[in-house]
Structure formats: structure tokens, C-alpha cells
Amino acid sequence: TQPSDLGLTEPGHPLLGAAIELADGSAVFTGRLSLATHSWLAEHAVCDTVLVPGATFVDLALAAGAKHVQELVISRPLIVPDKDGVQLRVEIGAPDETGSRTIDIHSRIGNKTWTHHATGSVTDEPHLATTQPAAWPPADAQPLDISGFYQDLADLGYGYGPLFQGVQAAWRDGDSILTQVALPENTNTDGFGIHPALLDAALHGALLAEQDQSNGTVRLPYTWTGVSLHATGATSLRVRLTVVDEETLALTATDPTGGPVATINALTTRRVTADQILPADTKDRSRRPQHLYHQAWTPVT
């Protein structure tokens, strides 16, 4: 029996190996990732733990056929183990009367229980871009010093390798941070709507805007709202990040000619500590999350 005889198709995404559409119009996408097969993931570490970038969940939603991500809430980060591979499952619900579809993303290692990572809603209807080509950078934008930027982030717990060190220049323009970001030359972007490392780097301007970064926590993407991808295959971006409040920002990204690439109406982040990121079965007991209750052994004479 061939996979096609079972209704399986190949999504053509680097992290997804097969998909099947169900009778009610819903669909399930599956894949597998590991540091052996996707070594670039090792360049995204937070608090010494390799995490799948939050931007990857957005790209998975788009790869599953969505044209617009209405909302995607990341409930738990996806940790990439040192040796074992991780199974992925992306479930897209049947469209409702408005055309909206639910999405849920799970993972598991081996035959362990599935872990839920993200939930939300998407639509097959594309949203038209409203961005227009403009002078870059604006004449009144103030240049920002980014020398040592990624070393400073490493000291705070953000372990970005060369692939994710995409910020090449930055400016402040009122309430907005402007950045110019790019992937290293010859980075393979085939199959991605937008490469997770490029979209992740597009968010780094928010760290430039922060005033206090030394309180023992790091920021992770939490809720993505109103995400649209207008062009695929980008390797460099002009990014405008507008700070809405302490935890929320909006993003507009264009290509070097000013053509629209991606828009995010709102991205809410959350501060987390290293203990909140580490898996419960980590070998280093001193780095496990400390629970309120614990087992104690009392010797009996």
C-alpha cells in the first residue's frame, strides 16, 4: 500500500512529513524533528535549553494551509532533547460558518503522552497587505548602537547562534524600533513560508526597546494575533516594531524594496524563569522546578 492510497500527502515543509484530510474537512499534519536532522535548532537556546522558536508555530500554522492566523496561544515551549527526536502533530479543524478553523499543535518523545503546545484559530481567507514602500530608514529616525547586542542577550539567557543573530542595524522612531535583519548567506529557506530564524530575529528589536532586562527572567512569545504572510522566501527584512505596552507589540515587515512580507497585529510576550522552562525529568535536580510538596524519607530505627 502506497501512502497516497491512504490519503496521505506531503506538505513540503521541512518540519512536516505527511498530512491527511479527514472526511469532515479537518486535517492532521505530522512530522519529526531532532538536532540530528534539524541542526539549526541548536542555535536557539533560552536559559541553556534548546527551544523550538515560537515563530516556528506560526510557520507551521501557515504551512497547514492557513492564509491568516487569527490567534495562536503558546501554552508551553517545545524543548528539543539532546538525542531523541520529537514527533509533531498539527491538527486543523473543519471550517465553521465564518471560515474560521481551530488549530492545535502537540509533540511527544517516543511513545510518551502527547504534550500540548499551542492552540488558536486560523482562516483560509488571506488578508491584504496595507504597507507601502517608504524611505528607509525615515529621515528623523535615531540610530541605535547594536555593538555587543547579542553578547548582552547571551548574558541575559538568550543563547542565539549565528543563524539567529540577524539584527544588522537598528533605529528608534518615536514609539517604534526599526531593525534591518537578515539570514546568513546561503541559508536554505525552501519549504518555509518565512524561516523561523528570520521571523525570530525580526522580534529582537523588542529587546532593544526594553529598559529593564536584568531581573532574572526572559521573554517568550505567548499570544500571536492577526498574523499574515504576504510573500514567501524572504532572506532579509525591514522591520517596524511598535510597542503597544510593556508586554505587547505590533510588527510590520517588508523586503528591501519596501514590498510587504508579514504583519502581526499584536504579539504578547510573557516573562519566564529558567525553572519554568526546564523539563521535569532533567537530570540536574538542582535545576528542576521546585514544587510546593515533595517526598521526604525518615529513617526508622
Side-chain angles (χ1 to χ4, degrees), residues 225-264:
T225 305
V227 183
S228 291
L229 184 65
H230 310 295
T232 61
T235 58
S236 61
L237 297 173
R238 296 174 175 178
V239 181
R240 175 179 287 272
L241 280 174
T242 302
V243 178
V244 178
D245 56 41
E246 184 179 350
E247 296 183 336
T248 307
L249 55 87
L251 177 148
T252 300
T254 67
D255 63 25
T257 67
V261 174
T263 53
I264 302 173

mmCIF file of all heavy atoms in Angstrom, residues 225-264:
data_model
loop_
_atom_site.group_PDB
_atom_site.id
_atom_site.type_symbol
_atom_site.label_atom_id
_atom_site.label_comp_id
_atom_site.label_asym_id
_atom_site.label_seq_id
_atom_site.Cartn_x
_atom_site.Cartn_y
_atom_site.Cartn_z
ATOM 1 N N THR A 225 -1.535 37.459 17.424
ATOM 2 C CA THR A 225 -2.866 37.862 16.968
ATOM 3 C C THR A 225 -2.761 38.576 15.623
ATOM 4 O O THR A 225 -1.958 39.500 15.464
ATOM 5 C CB THR A 225 -3.536 38.801 17.984
ATOM 6 O OG1 THR A 225 -3.567 38.169 19.272
ATOM 7 C CG2 THR A 225 -4.956 39.147 17.557
ATOM 8 N N GLY A 226 -3.579 38.141 14.674
ATOM 9 C CA GLY A 226 -3.633 38.799 13.377
ATOM 10 C C GLY A 226 -2.331 38.713 12.595
ATOM 11 O O GLY A 226 -1.758 39.731 12.230
ATOM 12 N N VAL A 227 -1.876 37.487 12.331
ATOM 13 C CA VAL A 227 -0.619 37.290 11.604
ATOM 14 C C VAL A 227 -0.916 36.961 10.142
ATOM 15 O O VAL A 227 -1.665 36.022 9.860
ATOM 16 C CB VAL A 227 0.221 36.157 12.224
ATOM 17 C CG1 VAL A 227 1.553 36.014 11.490
ATOM 18 C CG2 VAL A 227 0.453 36.407 13.707
ATOM 19 N N SER A 228 -0.326 37.730 9.239
ATOM 20 C CA SER A 228 -0.492 37.484 7.809
ATOM 21 C C SER A 228 0.869 37.444 7.137
ATOM 22 O O SER A 228 1.744 38.260 7.447
ATOM 23 C CB SER A 228 -1.350 38.577 7.152
ATOM 24 O OG SER A 228 -2.694 38.498 7.581
ATOM 25 N N LEU A 229 1.037 36.489 6.228
ATOM 26 C CA LEU A 229 2.247 36.388 5.428
ATOM 27 C C LEU A 229 1.892 36.776 4.003
ATOM 28 O O LEU A 229 1.040 36.148 3.377
ATOM 29 C CB LEU A 229 2.807 34.964 5.478
ATOM 30 C CG LEU A 229 4.136 34.734 4.766
ATOM 31 C CD1 LEU A 229 5.249 35.529 5.449
ATOM 32 C CD2 LEU A 229 4.491 33.247 4.762
ATOM 33 N N HIS A 230 2.533 37.829 3.500
ATOM 34 C CA HIS A 230 2.195 38.364 2.184
ATOM 35 C C HIS A 230 3.147 37.906 1.091
ATOM 36 O O HIS A 230 2.830 38.016 -0.097
ATOM 37 C CB HIS A 230 2.187 39.896 2.242
ATOM 38 C CG HIS A 230 1.376 40.452 3.381
ATOM 39 N ND1 HIS A 230 0.011 40.293 3.472
ATOM 40 C CD2 HIS A 230 1.747 41.129 4.493
ATOM 41 C CE1 HIS A 230 -0.431 40.868 4.580
ATOM 42 N NE2 HIS A 230 0.601 41.379 5.226
ATOM 43 N N ALA A 231 4.316 37.410 1.471
ATOM 44 C CA ALA A 231 5.288 36.935 0.490
ATOM 45 C C ALA A 231 6.154 35.868 1.154
ATOM 46 O O ALA A 231 6.403 35.920 2.357
ATOM 47 C CB ALA A 231 6.161 38.084 -0.017
ATOM 48 N N THR A 232 6.585 34.892 0.380
ATOM 49 C CA THR A 232 7.406 33.806 0.909
ATOM 50 C C THR A 232 8.833 33.916 0.380
ATOM 51 O O THR A 232 9.112 34.631 -0.570
ATOM 52 C CB THR A 232 6.820 32.439 0.509
ATOM 53 O OG1 THR A 232 6.800 32.338 -0.932
ATOM 54 C CG2 THR A 232 5.405 32.282 1.033
ATOM 55 N N GLY A 233 9.727 33.161 1.030
ATOM 56 C CA GLY A 233 11.104 33.084 0.560
ATOM 57 C C GLY A 233 11.998 34.237 0.965
ATOM 58 O O GLY A 233 13.120 34.356 0.455
ATOM 59 N N ALA A 234 11.564 35.086 1.878
ATOM 60 C CA ALA A 234 12.377 36.239 2.272
ATOM 61 C C ALA A 234 13.645 35.794 2.980
ATOM 62 O O ALA A 234 13.647 34.832 3.748
ATOM 63 C CB ALA A 234 11.574 37.164 3.190
ATOM 64 N N THR A 235 14.737 36.505 2.711
ATOM 65 C CA THR A 235 16.005 36.254 3.412
ATOM 66 C C THR A 235 16.471 37.484 4.184
ATOM 67 O O THR A 235 17.406 37.394 4.979
ATOM 68 C CB THR A 235 17.098 35.837 2.421
ATOM 69 O OG1 THR A 235 17.261 36.858 1.430
ATOM 70 C CG2 THR A 235 16.730 34.516 1.737
ATOM 71 N N SER A 236 15.832 38.629 3.943
ATOM 72 C CA SER A 236 16.141 39.845 4.703
ATOM 73 C C SER A 236 14.872 40.672 4.818
ATOM 74 O O SER A 236 13.976 40.595 3.972
ATOM 75 C CB SER A 236 17.249 40.659 4.024
ATOM 76 O OG SER A 236 16.850 41.067 2.724
ATOM 77 N N LEU A 237 14.804 41.465 5.887
ATOM 78 C CA LEU A 237 13.597 42.228 6.176
ATOM 79 C C LEU A 237 13.929 43.612 6.700
ATOM 80 O O LEU A 237 14.961 43.823 7.342
ATOM 81 C CB LEU A 237 12.744 41.522 7.243
ATOM 82 C CG LEU A 237 12.169 40.145 6.945
ATOM 83 C CD1 LEU A 237 11.526 39.578 8.206
ATOM 84 C CD2 LEU A 237 11.170 40.195 5.806
ATOM 85 N N ARG A 238 13.026 44.543 6.410
ATOM 86 C CA ARG A 238 12.980 45.816 7.113
ATOM 87 C C ARG A 238 11.809 45.729 8.083
ATOM 88 O O ARG A 238 10.675 45.475 7.680
ATOM 89 C CB ARG A 238 12.754 46.967 6.141
ATOM 90 C CG ARG A 238 13.882 47.174 5.143
ATOM 91 C CD ARG A 238 13.489 48.242 4.142
ATOM 92 N NE ARG A 238 14.576 48.574 3.217
ATOM 93 C CZ ARG A 238 14.472 49.457 2.228
ATOM 94 N NH1 ARG A 238 13.326 50.103 2.039
ATOM 95 N NH2 ARG A 238 15.500 49.696 1.439
ATOM 96 N N VAL A 239 12.065 45.923 9.359
ATOM 97 C CA VAL A 239 11.060 45.653 10.379
ATOM 98 C C VAL A 239 10.743 46.916 11.161
ATOM 99 O O VAL A 239 11.641 47.648 11.581
ATOM 100 C CB VAL A 239 11.557 44.556 11.356
ATOM 101 C CG1 VAL A 239 10.503 44.257 12.411
ATOM 102 C CG2 VAL A 239 11.933 43.296 10.593
ATOM 103 N N ARG A 240 9.465 47.141 11.358
ATOM 104 C CA ARG A 240 8.998 48.206 12.264
ATOM 105 C C ARG A 240 8.240 47.532 13.398
ATOM 106 O O ARG A 240 7.191 46.923 13.184
ATOM 107 C CB ARG A 240 8.102 49.204 11.552
ATOM 108 C CG ARG A 240 7.506 50.270 12.510
ATOM 109 C CD ARG A 240 6.624 51.274 11.793
ATOM 110 N NE ARG A 240 7.425 52.193 11.000
ATOM 111 C CZ ARG A 240 7.942 53.323 11.444
ATOM 112 N NH1 ARG A 240 7.750 53.684 12.710
ATOM 113 N NH2 ARG A 240 8.639 54.103 10.642
ATOM 114 N N LEU A 241 8.783 47.632 14.603
ATOM 115 C CA LEU A 241 8.142 47.130 15.805
ATOM 116 C C LEU A 241 7.578 48.309 16.590
ATOM 117 O O LEU A 241 8.319 49.219 16.952
ATOM 118 C CB LEU A 241 9.144 46.381 16.688
ATOM 119 C CG LEU A 241 9.502 44.941 16.330
ATOM 120 C CD1 LEU A 241 10.616 44.452 17.251
ATOM 121 C CD2 LEU A 241 8.308 44.029 16.438
ATOM 122 N N THR A 242 6.294 48.282 16.825
ATOM 123 C CA THR A 242 5.660 49.353 17.592
ATOM 124 C C THR A 242 5.275 48.811 18.964
ATOM 125 O O THR A 242 4.557 47.807 19.056
ATOM 126 C CB THR A 242 4.419 49.895 16.871
ATOM 127 O OG1 THR A 242 4.795 50.381 15.580
ATOM 128 C CG2 THR A 242 3.788 51.017 17.676
ATOM 129 N N VAL A 243 5.778 49.431 20.008
ATOM 130 C CA VAL A 243 5.491 48.993 21.369
ATOM 131 C C VAL A 243 4.101 49.480 21.765
ATOM 132 O O VAL A 243 3.837 50.681 21.815
ATOM 133 C CB VAL A 243 6.555 49.523 22.347
ATOM 134 C CG1 VAL A 243 6.215 49.097 23.777
ATOM 135 C CG2 VAL A 243 7.946 49.033 21.943
ATOM 136 N N VAL A 244 3.195 48.532 22.004
ATOM 137 C CA VAL A 244 1.828 48.856 22.421
ATOM 138 C C VAL A 244 1.776 49.070 23.929
ATOM 139 O O VAL A 244 1.225 50.041 24.416
ATOM 140 C CB VAL A 244 0.850 47.752 21.986
ATOM 141 C CG1 VAL A 244 -0.571 48.069 22.464
ATOM 142 C CG2 VAL A 244 0.887 47.565 20.471
ATOM 143 N N ASP A 245 2.364 48.134 24.678
ATOM 144 C CA ASP A 245 2.508 48.270 26.123
ATOM 145 C C ASP A 245 3.691 47.415 26.546
ATOM 146 O O ASP A 245 4.451 46.933 25.708
ATOM 147 C CB ASP A 245 1.219 47.898 26.882
ATOM 148 C CG ASP A 245 0.736 46.491 26.559
ATOM 149 O OD1 ASP A 245 1.589 45.578 26.460
ATOM 150 O OD2 ASP A 245 -0.481 46.286 26.410
ATOM 151 N N GLU A 246 3.861 47.218 27.839
ATOM 152 C CA GLU A 246 5.040 46.521 28.339
ATOM 153 C C GLU A 246 5.158 45.104 27.794
ATOM 154 O O GLU A 246 6.257 44.573 27.649
ATOM 155 C CB GLU A 246 5.009 46.477 29.868
ATOM 156 C CG GLU A 246 6.252 45.862 30.496
ATOM 157 C CD GLU A 246 6.194 45.854 32.011
ATOM 158 O OE1 GLU A 246 5.276 46.488 32.564
ATOM 159 O OE2 GLU A 246 7.061 45.220 32.633
ATOM 160 N N GLU A 247 4.022 44.466 27.476
ATOM 161 C CA GLU A 247 4.046 43.073 27.046
ATOM 162 C C GLU A 247 3.595 42.866 25.607
ATOM 163 O O GLU A 247 3.639 41.734 25.110
ATOM 164 C CB GLU A 247 3.154 42.234 27.967
ATOM 165 C CG GLU A 247 3.619 42.181 29.419
ATOM 166 C CD GLU A 247 2.747 41.292 30.263
ATOM 167 O OE1 GLU A 247 1.573 41.090 29.881
ATOM 168 O OE2 GLU A 247 3.223 40.787 31.295
ATOM 169 N N THR A 248 3.174 43.913 24.926
ATOM 170 C CA THR A 248 2.577 43.747 23.601
ATOM 171 C C THR A 248 3.246 44.652 22.585
ATOM 172 O O THR A 248 3.576 45.807 22.868
ATOM 173 C CB THR A 248 1.068 44.065 23.648
ATOM 174 O OG1 THR A 248 0.455 43.297 24.689
ATOM 175 C CG2 THR A 248 0.395 43.720 22.329
ATOM 176 N N LEU A 249 3.419 44.113 21.381
ATOM 177 C CA LEU A 249 3.982 44.893 20.286
ATOM 178 C C LEU A 249 3.272 44.524 18.990
ATOM 179 O O LEU A 249 2.607 43.494 18.895
ATOM 180 C CB LEU A 249 5.486 44.647 20.170
ATOM 181 C CG LEU A 249 5.972 43.198 20.022
ATOM 182 C CD1 LEU A 249 5.998 42.754 18.566
ATOM 183 C CD2 LEU A 249 7.350 43.021 20.642
ATOM 184 N N ALA A 250 3.410 45.389 17.998
ATOM 185 C CA ALA A 250 2.897 45.134 16.655
ATOM 186 C C ALA A 250 4.067 45.177 15.686
ATOM 187 O O ALA A 250 5.061 45.863 15.936
ATOM 188 C CB ALA A 250 1.844 46.176 16.280
ATOM 189 N N LEU A 251 3.949 44.431 14.583
ATOM 190 C CA LEU A 251 5.075 44.313 13.662
ATOM 191 C C LEU A 251 4.625 44.446 12.228
ATOM 192 O O LEU A 251 3.589 43.908 11.824
ATOM 193 C CB LEU A 251 5.770 42.964 13.869
ATOM 194 C CG LEU A 251 6.940 42.599 12.948
ATOM 195 C CD1 LEU A 251 7.965 41.743 13.689
ATOM 196 C CD2 LEU A 251 6.468 41.848 11.690
ATOM 197 N N THR A 252 5.433 45.169 11.464
ATOM 198 C CA THR A 252 5.283 45.230 10.007
ATOM 199 C C THR A 252 6.651 44.962 9.402
ATOM 200 O O THR A 252 7.633 45.599 9.780
ATOM 201 C CB THR A 252 4.782 46.608 9.546
ATOM 202 O OG1 THR A 252 3.510 46.873 10.136
ATOM 203 C CG2 THR A 252 4.650 46.654 8.030
ATOM 204 N N ALA A 253 6.715 43.998 8.487
ATOM 205 C CA ALA A 253 7.982 43.633 7.866
ATOM 206 C C ALA A 253 7.854 43.702 6.354
ATOM 207 O O ALA A 253 6.880 43.195 5.780
ATOM 208 C CB ALA A 253 8.406 42.233 8.288
ATOM 209 N N THR A 254 8.828 44.328 5.720
ATOM 210 C CA THR A 254 8.853 44.429 4.268
ATOM 211 C C THR A 254 10.177 43.880 3.754
ATOM 212 O O THR A 254 11.127 43.665 4.518
ATOM 213 C CB THR A 254 8.696 45.882 3.802
ATOM 214 O OG1 THR A 254 9.866 46.629 4.192
ATOM 215 C CG2 THR A 254 7.465 46.537 4.410
ATOM 216 N N ASP A 255 10.253 43.682 2.443
ATOM 217 C CA ASP A 255 11.522 43.271 1.846
ATOM 218 C C ASP A 255 12.377 44.511 1.602
ATOM 219 O O ASP A 255 11.933 45.648 1.872
ATOM 220 C CB ASP A 255 11.282 42.466 0.567
ATOM 221 C CG ASP A 255 10.581 43.273 -0.533
ATOM 222 O OD1 ASP A 255 10.695 44.519 -0.539
ATOM 223 O OD2 ASP A 255 9.933 42.656 -1.384
ATOM 224 N N PRO A 256 13.605 44.356 1.124
ATOM 225 C CA PRO A 256 14.488 45.520 0.941
ATOM 226 C C PRO A 256 13.971 46.581 -0.019
ATOM 227 O O PRO A 256 14.446 47.712 -0.010
ATOM 228 C CB PRO A 256 15.783 44.890 0.422
ATOM 229 C CG PRO A 256 15.785 43.514 0.999
ATOM 230 C CD PRO A 256 14.342 43.092 0.960
ATOM 231 N N THR A 257 12.964 46.238 -0.851
ATOM 232 C CA THR A 257 12.384 47.219 -1.771
ATOM 233 C C THR A 257 11.150 47.895 -1.188
ATOM 234 O O THR A 257 10.569 48.772 -1.814
ATOM 235 C CB THR A 257 12.011 46.559 -3.104
ATOM 236 O OG1 THR A 257 10.929 45.638 -2.900
ATOM 237 C CG2 THR A 257 13.202 45.824 -3.698
ATOM 238 N N GLY A 258 10.718 47.456 0.020
ATOM 239 C CA GLY A 258 9.519 48.011 0.632
ATOM 240 C C GLY A 258 8.277 47.189 0.384
ATOM 241 O O GLY A 258 7.191 47.553 0.837
ATOM 242 N N GLY A 259 8.403 46.079 -0.337
ATOM 243 C CA GLY A 259 7.253 45.216 -0.582
ATOM 244 C C GLY A 259 6.840 44.472 0.672
ATOM 245 O O GLY A 259 7.699 44.025 1.440
ATOM 246 N N PRO A 260 5.541 44.328 0.935
ATOM 247 C CA PRO A 260 5.078 43.691 2.178
ATOM 248 C C PRO A 260 5.457 42.221 2.253
ATOM 249 O O PRO A 260 5.357 41.485 1.266
ATOM 250 C CB PRO A 260 3.560 43.876 2.128
ATOM 251 C CG PRO A 260 3.245 44.014 0.671
ATOM 252 C CD PRO A 260 4.416 44.727 0.060
ATOM 253 N N VAL A 261 5.901 41.794 3.437
ATOM 254 C CA VAL A 261 6.233 40.389 3.680
ATOM 255 C C VAL A 261 5.352 39.811 4.784
ATOM 256 O O VAL A 261 4.737 38.760 4.607
ATOM 257 C CB VAL A 261 7.720 40.216 4.046
ATOM 258 C CG1 VAL A 261 8.014 38.764 4.444
ATOM 259 C CG2 VAL A 261 8.613 40.626 2.890
ATOM 260 N N ALA A 262 5.280 40.477 5.931
ATOM 261 C CA ALA A 262 4.495 39.943 7.041
ATOM 262 C C ALA A 262 3.987 41.077 7.921
ATOM 263 O O ALA A 262 4.623 42.127 8.036
ATOM 264 C CB ALA A 262 5.336 38.974 7.875
ATOM 265 N N THR A 263 2.829 40.850 8.525
ATOM 266 C CA THR A 263 2.280 41.784 9.511
ATOM 267 C C THR A 263 1.777 40.985 10.712
ATOM 268 O O THR A 263 1.255 39.883 10.565
ATOM 269 C CB THR A 263 1.124 42.616 8.945
ATOM 270 O OG1 THR A 263 0.143 41.739 8.369
ATOM 271 C CG2 THR A 263 1.612 43.586 7.884
ATOM 272 N N ILE A 264 1.968 41.551 11.891
ATOM 273 C CA ILE A 264 1.443 40.977 13.132
ATOM 274 C C ILE A 264 0.707 42.111 13.848
ATOM 275 O O ILE A 264 1.317 43.103 14.245
ATOM 276 C CB ILE A 264 2.564 40.427 14.027
ATOM 277 C CG1 ILE A 264 3.375 39.355 13.290
ATOM 278 C CG2 ILE A 264 1.984 39.853 15.318
ATOM 279 C CD1 ILE A 264 4.599 38.887 14.060
#
